[in-house]
């Protein structure tokens, strides 16, 4: 079983040594999902970026980030492409700025596939179309021929998911994929991620939205100021939150409960 | 910000060069072994010696003394030019940005015209109108360069005008004049200092370029550009006489550019 | 969009009109009497009557506005008359010195592109590396070079010490290699600074991060993603220089004894020759404004989404 195993991950800013993430440990294996829940600024995104190896030299990272037996921290440049984009996929936070505005979406998707697979042109095309359809985009022809600025935020979010789908990644890290969306689209997107997990991928899902977490299910970690304050299965944590901060999050989300549970 | 500047090695090198040039200009009469125009035909193209540290030129004038006095000529033109241009640019630029659409259109048009107009023509004509001398060179460079500064200030001021704090100040009942002096100018100032510093550099090069073409300052003046022009006749026999004055221009301009660009890096790193 | 285009075209003609009026006004204030300059050329002790005769024959007795009107009419006919500076038709003079300037400017910009693009890419590939640090300081020093002095240094090293080139201009493209290089040094130095900063800004953007997350290497992101998006500020700068250099090359022309537009302009102003000055100034200004327009246009083609936002 392929799994991501993070042990004692601490992240500091080098400038003033402020601690952003404090000894974070978790594991998530194939077919499982783990939700990282917390407010903005609590260290969720920076943890994701650390796992993806995207932090600049301004940050100091300690601890271990292990995927399928390989230490990802300090992975040499020439091995990067064997993991990132191929076996580990990121669905980034802001769909509007995550793609190059001057390159057509089809080309950017094809670029990823060409790097990671040995497929021919027609096969790659087929894969891209299938991935876009699986992510819930019907008019694949038009999407491929568009530049990012021509599509809506919801469509772009699906494109980003399709990129993750297209390479059959074993681990998908989703950094607030539902934040830019309205409730209806959010539920659809969460369902795409649920299917992805049920298809055998490991999923690390970062969100500040308890409703999205409930819809996805699986395990949850609640993070506050760089620390995990509570963890457990999503339903249990929601039903009987132990930590005061989790209770506040639950209360806040139950205000919009009606909307998020209407169709579940 | 000042502390960051003092920690930046590039800014320090720039500052040292600037101070060196300013000192040379201020203390030229004390430092120079000879008067700049003291000719001694027996010393024509003398080899460097204790009395003539860099040798002598085609009229037997001490090269080092002329170079020292050259910094005086260069600074006494470039610094007043930049002071006046700075004021002119700040006033016209902010006026253009805050003084209403019609004024902005007129000022922008005048700026565009002056920017599109060949600078050299302005300079020659103005030096022709006012006669030779340092003062007319100052006016010529101001007329040739003011529009670039005004446009730069305007574009930064426009950027600032779009920010929320200006709206907030307006809503709080802040008048236009107060807005300009209390909010706009302080916020544009850091970028403006960068421009000023690099502007002094281009002005130094411009002054010597004019002198090289024989505009404004006569060939006998101890000025770097004029000295280059004087030495070009001996390019085969004494090429070193062409090297010294140019090196001075380069060092002086590089000082202001290094400082200005270091400041820009610091400013942009903070933003 | 339509309004934007019509506004730009209107400004184009307004600026040209402004430039021509300004040149007549400047020469009018100049204080030198063109008739006297002409008369003294043939006879150094020209009498008052001789000067007046020249004045009448050249039409210089008319007031400045009338001469301006005559010049405008001539401009539309394609014949603005005779240059006081050279005594030849202005258009003939221009046909001679314009190609010189065009070659100088064209070759300079070629140097700029050949040098600044690879150097900027190398810097942006490893920011804060040894090469980057060196280039950052070297480019500031390069910006500070007076072009005429650089011209002399090049002449001393490549024409006097090692006679690869000649001090007097050689026919053909060879005569332009040194002058265009001298002219281009401060420009490509400034270029490298702008281009490098622009590339690094793109490399720090979210799409570059996501490209890294997709497994792409820094080199590929730089050439396939950041490069194109980093071009607009550089294109704007290139076009500004294209217009600026036509008349701004006078000092370098002087060093290398080239008879380009800059040198011609200097001579015309000194002869108080308002028609030639105005003609040259309008041409230079037209090139300047058109080059800026072209830069705008190219940027819109390169990055069409910037128009949208």
């Amino acid at each position: 079983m392929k799994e991501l195993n993070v042990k004692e991950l601490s992240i500091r800013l080098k400038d003033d040594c402020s601690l952003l993430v404090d000894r974070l440990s978790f594991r998530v294996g194939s077919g499982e999902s783990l939700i990282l829940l917390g407010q903005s600024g609590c260290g969720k995104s920076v943890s994701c970026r650390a796992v993806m190896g995207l932090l600049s030299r301004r940050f100091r990272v300690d601890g271990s980030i292990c995927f399928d037996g390989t230490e990802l921290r300090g992975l040499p440049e020439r091995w990067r492409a064997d993991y990132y984009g191929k076996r580990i996929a990121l669905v980034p936070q802001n769909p509007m700025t995550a793609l190059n505005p001057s390159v057509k979406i089809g080309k950017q998707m094809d670029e990823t596939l060409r790097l990671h697979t040995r497929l021919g042109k027609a096969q790659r095309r087929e894969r891209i179309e299938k991935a876009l359809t699986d992510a819930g985009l019907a008019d694949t022809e038009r999407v491929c021929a568009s530049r990012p600025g021509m599509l809506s935020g919801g469509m772009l979010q699906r494109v980003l998911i399709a990129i993750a789908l297209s390479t059959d990644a074993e681990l998908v890290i989703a950094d607030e994929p539902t934040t830019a969306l309205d409730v209806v689209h959010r539920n659809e997107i969460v369902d795409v991620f649920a299917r992805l997990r049920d298809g055998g991928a490991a999923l690390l899902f970062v969100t500040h939205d308890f409703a999205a977490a409930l819809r996805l299910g699986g395990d949850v970690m609640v993070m506050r100021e760089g620390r995990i304050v509570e963890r457990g299965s999503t339903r249990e944590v929601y039903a009987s939150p132990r930590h005061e901060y989790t209770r506040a999050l639950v209360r806040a989300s139950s205000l919009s409960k009606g909307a998020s549970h209407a169709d579940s | 910000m000042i502390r960051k500047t003092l920690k930046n090695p590039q800014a320090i090198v720039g500052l040292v060069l600037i101070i060196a040039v300013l000192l040379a200009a201020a203390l030229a009469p004390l430092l120079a072994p000879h008067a700049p125009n003291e000719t001694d035909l027996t010393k024509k193209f003398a080899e460097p010696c204790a009395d003539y540290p860099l040798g002598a030129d085609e009229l037997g004038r001490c090269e080092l003394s002329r170079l020292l006095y050259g910094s005086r000529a260069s600074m006494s033109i470039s610094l007043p030019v930049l002071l006046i241009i700075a004021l002119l640019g700040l006033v016209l630029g902010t006026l253009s940005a805050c003084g209403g659409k019609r004024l902005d259109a007129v000022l922008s048009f005048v700026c565009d015209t002056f920017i599109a107009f060949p600078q050299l023509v302005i300079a020659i004509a103005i030096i022709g109108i006012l006669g030779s001398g340092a003062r007319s060179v100052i006016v010529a460079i101001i007329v040739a360069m003011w529009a670039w500064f005004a446009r730069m200030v305007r574009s930064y001021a426009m950027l600032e005008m779009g920010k929320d704090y200006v709206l907030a100040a307006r809503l709080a009942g802040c008048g236009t004049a107060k807005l300009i002096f209390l909010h706009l100018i302080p916020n544009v100032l850091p970028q403006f200092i960068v421009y000023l510093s690099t502007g002094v550099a281009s002005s130094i090069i411009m002054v010597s370029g004019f002198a090289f073409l024989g505009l404004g300052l006569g060939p006998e003046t101890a000025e770097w550009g004029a000295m280059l022009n004087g030495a070009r006749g001996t390019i085969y026999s004494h090429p070193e006489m062409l090297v010294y004055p140019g090196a001075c221009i380069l060092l002086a301009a590089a000082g202001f550019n290094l400082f200005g660009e270091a400041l820009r890096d610091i400013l942009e790193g903070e933003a | 969009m339509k309004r934007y285009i019509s506004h730009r075209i209107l400004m184009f003609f307004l600026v040209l009109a402004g430039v021509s009026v300004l040149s007549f006004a400047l020469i009018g204030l100049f204080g030198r009497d063109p008739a006297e300059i002409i008369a003294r050329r043939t006879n150094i002790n020209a009498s008052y009557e001789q000067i007046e005769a020249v004045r009448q024959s050249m039409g210089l007795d008319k007031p400045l506005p009338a001469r301006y009107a005559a010049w405008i009419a001539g401009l539309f006919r394609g014949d603005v008359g005779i240059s006081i500076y050279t005594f030849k038709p202005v258009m003939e003079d221009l046909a001679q010195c314009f190609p010189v300037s065009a070659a100088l400017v064209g070759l300079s910009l070629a140097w700029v592109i050949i040098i600044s693009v690879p150097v900027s890419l190398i810097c942006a590939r490893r920011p804060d590396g040894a090469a980057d640090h060196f280039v950052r300081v070297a480019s500031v020093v390069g910006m500070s070079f007076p072009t005429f002095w650089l011209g002399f240094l090049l002449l001393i090293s490549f024409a006097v010490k090692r006679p690869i080139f000649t001090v007097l201009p050689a026919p053909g493209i060879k005569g332009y290699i040194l002058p265009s290089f001298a002219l281009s040094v401060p420009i490509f130095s400034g270029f490298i600074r702008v281009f490098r900063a622009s590339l690094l800004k793109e490399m720090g953007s979210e799409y570059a991060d996501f490209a890294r997350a997709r497994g792409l290497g820094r080199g590929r992101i730089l050439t396939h993603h950041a490069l194109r998006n980093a071009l607009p500020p550089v294109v704007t700068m290139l076009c500004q220089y294209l217009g600026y250099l036509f008349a701004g090359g006078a000092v370098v022309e002087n060093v290398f004894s080239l008879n380009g537009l800059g040198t011609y302009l200097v001579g015309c102003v000194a002869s108080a020759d308002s028609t030639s000055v105005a003609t040259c100034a309008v041409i230079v200004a037209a090139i300047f404004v058109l080059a800026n327009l072209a830069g705008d246009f190219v940027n819109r083609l390169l990055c069409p989404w910037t128009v949208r936002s």
Side-chain angles (χ1 to χ4, degrees):
Chain A
M1 187 160 107
K2 314 278 165 51
E3 68 169 16
L4 172 71
N5 201 339
V6 172
K7 278 188 200 136
E8 301 274 308
L9 176 71
S10 294
I11 304 170
R12 284 180 182 80
L13 254 180
K14 271 182 189 166
D15 298 349
D16 52 359
C17 281
S18 58
L19 193 60
L20 302 175
V21 174
D22 186 14
R23 283 166 295 160
L24 172 68
S25 296
F26 64 87
R27 54 160 297 282
V28 51
S30 308
E32 298 173 357
S33 65
L34 178 63
I35 296 157
L36 187 52
L37 188 73
Q39 281 173 315
S40 45
C42 74
K44 301 170 297 183
S45 280
V46 80
S47 306
C48 283
R49 293 176 62 86
V51 174
M52 293 306 294
L54 290 175
L55 289 183
S56 73
R57 270 173 287 175
R58 283 176 49 225
F59 296 90
R60 202 183 113 196
V61 183
D62 295 299
S64 127
I65 302 164
C66 215
F67 175 70
D68 193 20
T70 311
E71 176 61 48
L72 294 179
R73 205 161 68 74
L75 191 73
E77 188 69 31
R78 62 178 182 283
W79 300 106
R80 273 190 66 95
D82 291 341
Y83 289 88
Y84 295 119
K86 188 178 187 179
R87 300 178 65 188
I88 307 172
L90 174 75
V91 178
Q93 192 164 15
N94 187 348
M96 305 298 271
T97 54
L99 291 166
N100 185 342
S102 60
V103 179
K104 284 180 183 153
I105 284 166
K107 207 176 156 199
Q108 295 192 57
M109 291 186 76
D110 189 58
E111 180 185 36
T112 320
L113 275 183
R114 219 171 50 202
L115 178 70
H116 297 301
T117 65
R118 291 163 180 271
L119 301 174
K121 199 176 176 187
Q123 289 169 298
R124 292 202 302 268
R125 178 90 208 164
E126 216 170 276
R127 273 251 203 135
I128 290 170
E129 268 167 27
K130 183 171 179 304
L132 285 171
T133 319
D134 287 350
L137 286 166
D139 196 355
T140 56
E141 196 88 354
R142 188 175 79 84
V143 170
C144 282
S146 309
R147 292 202 171 82
M150 297 150 86
L151 299 182
S152 69
M155 290 173 94
L156 284 172
Q157 189 59 265
R158 287 168 200 270
V159 169
L160 297 181
I161 295 171
I163 292 176
L165 293 174
S166 69
T167 53
D168 287 330
E170 295 156 19
L171 168 67
V172 174
I173 296 173
D175 188 0
E176 304 233 19
T178 57
T179 309
L181 306 175
D182 57 52
V183 176
V184 176
H185 283 117
R186 183 189 68 195
N187 287 344
E188 287 171 17
I189 294 284
V190 171
D191 291 346
V192 175
F193 278 105
R195 279 203 298 279
L196 196 131
R197 170 196 59 198
D198 299 339
L203 175 65
L204 176 62
F205 191 90
V206 174
T207 185
H208 63 253
D209 178 6
F210 222 127
L214 275 174
R215 192 172 176 94
L216 184 67
D219 287 342
V220 66
M221 303 186 283
V222 182
M223 194 178 207
R224 188 189 186 193
E225 288 172 0
R227 289 180 190 203
I228 299 301
V229 293
E230 182 162 358
R231 55 174 98 204
S233 93
T234 314
R235 282 189 193 282
E236 275 170 29
V237 170
Y238 185 72
S240 53
R242 275 171 313 213
H243 196 276
E244 191 188 339
Y245 176 67
T246 320
R247 278 200 285 279
L249 280 179
V250 169
R251 265 201 308 280
S253 72
S254 50
L255 294 176
S256 58
K257 199 174 165 187
S260 58
H261 280 267
D263 55 349
S264 64
Chain B
M1 162 139 172
I2 291 170
R3 196 177 307 157
K4 264 194 174 169
T5 312
L6 290 178
K7 270 188 189 162
N8 185 316
Q10 189 185 325
I12 295 293
V13 174
L15 261 182
V16 167
L17 283 173
I18 293 172
I19 292 170
V21 174
L22 289 179
L23 277 182
L27 304 176
L30 294 175
L31 294 172
H34 298 268
N37 286 325
E38 178 192 311
T39 53
D40 181 354
L41 287 175
T42 60
K43 291 286 194 309
K44 191 174 167 184
F45 291 121
E47 291 288 310
C49 60
D51 204 17
Y52 290 84
L54 290 177
D57 67 1
E58 75 277 8
L59 292 173
R61 294 174 293 197
C62 172
E63 183 76 7
L64 178 69
S65 310
R66 288 179 69 72
L67 290 176
L68 284 170
Y69 275 92
S71 65
R72 201 166 238 219
S74 189
M75 288 297 115
S76 67
I77 292 175
S78 297
L79 293 182
V81 160
L82 260 292
L83 215 72
I84 298 169
I85 284 199
L87 279 175
L88 217 63
L90 273 182
V91 171
L92 291 176
T94 42
L95 215 63
S96 189
C98 328
K101 267 194 174 159
R102 202 165 292 170
L103 185 67
D104 183 37
V106 173
L107 277 173
S108 294
F109 163 67
V110 177
C111 274
D112 283 351
T113 307
F114 269 85
I115 285 173
F117 199 82
Q119 286 183 339
L120 203 63
V121 173
I122 300 184
I124 306 170
I126 288 196
I127 290 169
I129 294 166
L130 298 178
S132 274
R135 198 171 302 158
S136 36
V137 177
I138 291 175
V139 177
I141 295 181
I142 289 171
V143 179
M145 274 171 72
W146 72 272
W148 292 92
F149 273 76
R151 184 195 259 189
M152 189 279 298
V153 174
R154 176 182 174 271
S155 66
Y156 275 110
M158 284 297 218
L159 216 67
E160 291 290 324
M161 288 294 279
K163 290 188 181 164
D164 290 340
Y165 77 88
V166 172
L167 187 68
R170 281 239 192 239
L171 286 176
C174 191
T176 301
K178 216 173 155 193
L179 190 74
I180 291 176
F181 284 104
L182 282 181
H183 297 286
L184 221 55
I185 291 186
N187 278 296
V188 179
L189 212 56
Q191 288 293 342
F192 192 66
I193 293 173
V194 171
Y195 258 75
L196 270 189
S197 191
T198 49
V200 176
S202 28
S203 155
I204 289 172
I205 295 175
M206 219 179 197
V207 170
S208 53
F210 287 164
F212 173 72
L213 291 176
L215 295 169
L217 301 169
E220 73 291 340
T221 324
E223 202 283 340
W224 298 327
M227 288 167 76
L228 273 178
N229 196 16
R232 68 188 302 189
T234 54
I235 183 168
Y236 289 101
S237 51
H238 294 280
E240 72 276 6
M241 289 295 149
L242 275 172
V243 175
Y244 298 136
C248 288
I249 304 172
L250 176 64
L251 285 179
F256 285 97
N257 268 337
L258 282 168
F259 181 71
E261 293 289 335
L263 210 60
R264 189 203 303 266
D265 287 349
I266 292 165
L267 280 177
E268 278 170 11
E270 275 180 351
Chain C
M1 191 65 198
K2 221 172 185 176
R3 262 194 67 191
Y4 172 80
I5 290 176
S6 59
H7 175 77
R8 293 296 292 253
I9 291 174
L10 179 72
M11 279 313 280
F12 172 68
F13 285 107
L14 273 179
V15 165
L16 290 195
V19 163
S20 60
V21 170
L22 190 61
S23 30
F24 263 83
L26 276 174
I27 302 298
L29 287 171
F30 195 39
R32 279 198 211 168
D33 182 0
E36 191 182 328
I37 292 171
I38 301 166
R40 287 203 193 284
R41 240 184 243 155
T42 42
N43 177 2
I44 199 76
N45 294 319
S47 66
Y48 179 77
E49 287 75 25
Q50 280 170 314
I51 293 172
E52 285 310 307
V54 171
R55 195 188 304 283
Q56 283 202 343
S57 69
M58 297 285 290
L60 293 170
D61 51 339
K62 290 185 208 130
L64 216 53
R67 272 153 63 193
Y68 182 71
W71 171 75
I72 291 269
L75 199 62
F76 283 107
R77 279 199 316 272
D79 174 25
V80 291
I82 285 174
S83 160
I84 297 169
Y85 172 48
T86 58
F87 266 124
K88 281 191 286 183
V90 176
M91 289 303 174
E92 231 171 76
D93 284 340
L94 281 178
Q96 243 169 33
C97 62
F98 189 80
V100 174
S101 282
L104 191 60
V105 172
L107 218 54
S108 298
L109 294 185
W111 281 114
V112 168
I113 293 168
I114 290 168
I115 293 170
S116 62
V117 172
V119 171
S120 308
L121 283 174
I122 289 169
C123 286
R125 178 72 182 78
R126 287 186 212 288
D128 282 323
D132 185 40
H133 274 289
F134 172 76
V135 169
R136 278 167 75 178
V137 175
S139 61
V140 180
V141 177
M143 279 162 59
S144 320
F145 262 101
T147 49
F148 47 100
W149 182 56
L150 194 63
F152 281 128
L153 289 190
L154 291 174
L155 277 183
I156 291 171
S157 351
F158 296 110
V160 177
K161 297 242 157 100
R162 268 154 299 216
I164 305 168
F165 297 95
T166 50
V167 174
L168 289 174
I173 198 165
K174 203 177 168 192
Y176 290 100
I177 291 178
L178 290 185
S180 61
F181 185 75
L183 199 56
S184 70
V185 166
I187 300 172
F188 71 62
S189 301
F191 246 72
I192 289 169
R193 293 191 72 77
V194 172
F195 201 9
R196 173 188 171 277
S198 179
L199 278 170
L200 284 182
K201 187 173 152 261
E202 293 300 322
M203 287 302 281
S205 65
E206 285 179 40
Y207 72 78
D209 259 1
F210 183 52
R212 288 277 288 160
R214 284 189 284 145
L216 273 62
R218 263 190 85 91
R220 186 181 161 94
I221 298 172
L222 194 63
T223 50
H224 285 70
H225 291 279
L227 182 59
R228 176 173 169 182
N229 296 340
L231 281 177
V234 192
V235 169
T236 306
M237 206 172 158
L238 191 80
C239 291
Q240 256 182 16
Y241 274 115
L242 178 71
Y244 172 77
L245 283 179
F246 265 92
V251 261
V252 170
E253 287 170 17
N254 186 307
V255 171
F256 290 92
S257 320
L258 291 168
N259 287 315
L261 215 53
T263 311
Y264 182 66
L265 255 176
V266 174
C268 290
V269 180
S271 313
D273 182 355
S274 46
T275 51
S276 325
V277 171
T279 314
C280 286
V282 162
I283 289 173
V284 170
I287 293 172
F288 185 86
V289 179
L290 284 178
N292 280 316
L293 267 176
D296 236 44
F297 189 67
V298 169
N299 281 344
R300 274 159 193 264
L301 281 182
L302 270 176
C303 301
W305 63 92
T306 52
V307 184
R308 198 178 293 274
S309 58

